[in-house]
């Protein structure tokens, strides 16, 4: 019989793209719609009112699981009751995997890059460029 000595050890990740890829977070509104979910297009997550449908879906489709926002900039790769936002995933199910973007030492650079990208998109929309 095998056992792990690290069942309670958290595996912390700081890169959101790496976490989403590894966990298989479904962040495409078309894929969520194809799976039968109609969510707020800007949120792409499940609020507590939608949670029963999400949990039923995961029970019926064991290849999917729930990830929970557990704090500001912190996402746990498991279902945590009484949270405000949940995501659907179909990748690595390791429940000890946690994303904490606030722990990233390059956080200011990442935020600057995201803001610059968003401003460029707004500018292109405003001027009619694709």
């Amino acid at each position: 019989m095998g056992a792990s000595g690290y069942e309670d050890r958290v595996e912390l990740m700081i890169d959101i793209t790496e976490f989403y890829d590894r966990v298989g977070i479904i962040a495409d509104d078309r894929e969520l719609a194809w799976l039968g979910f109609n969510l707020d297009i800007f949120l792409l997550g499940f609020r507590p009112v939608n949670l029963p449908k999400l949990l039923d879906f995961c029970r019926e489709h064991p290849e999917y699981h729930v990830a929970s926002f557990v704090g500001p900039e912190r996402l746990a790769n498991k279902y945590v009751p009484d949270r405000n936002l949940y995501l659907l995933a179909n990748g690595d199910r390791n429940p000890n995997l946690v994303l904490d973007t606030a722990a990233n030492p390059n956080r200011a650079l990442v935020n600057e890059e995201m803001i610059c990208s968003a401003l460029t998109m707004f500018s292109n929309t405003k001027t009619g460029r694709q």
Side-chain angles (χ1 to χ4, degrees), residues 3 11 31 86 118:
E11 184 179 343
E31 186 172 356
Y86 300 91

Side-chain angles (χ1 to χ4, degrees), residues 33-91:
W34 184 79
L35 292 170
F37 299 107
N38 294 314
L39 303 173
D40 180 342
I41 191 167
F42 297 108
L43 190 57
L44 298 176
F46 296 81
R47 294 184 183 179
V49 69
N50 299 325
L51 188 57
K53 184 175 180 180
L54 175 63
L55 293 175
D56 287 343
F57 178 84
C58 289
R59 274 192 288 279
E60 293 171 11
H61 303 89
E63 65 272 21
Y64 293 93
H65 67 281
V66 176
S68 309
F69 279 94
V70 293
E73 303 185 54
R74 194 167 174 97
L75 182 61
N77 190 31
K78 61 184 175 183
Y79 170 67
V80 178
D82 301 321
R83 297 297 155 176
N84 293 324
L85 190 64
Y86 300 91
L87 298 175
L88 181 63
N90 65 353

Side-chain angles (χ1 to χ4, degrees), residues 2-41:
S4 172
Y6 301 110
E7 290 180 5
D8 295 330
R9 185 181 213 169
V10 171
E11 184 179 343
L12 183 66
M13 296 183 73
I14 58 173
D15 185 282
I16 191 167
T17 304
E18 184 181 329
F19 180 86
Y20 272 45
D21 288 346
R22 178 171 169 186
V23 173
I25 298 292
I26 300 173
D28 183 337
D29 60 320
R30 293 168 297 186
E31 186 172 356
L32 288 168
W34 184 79
L35 292 170
F37 299 107
N38 294 314
L39 303 173
D40 180 342
I41 191 167

Side-chain angles (χ1 to χ4, degrees), residues 118-130:
L119 289 174
T120 300
M121 288 183 348
F122 287 137
S123 176
N124 288 345
T125 302
K126 182 178 172 185
T127 60
R129 289 182 282 179
Q130 297 294 328

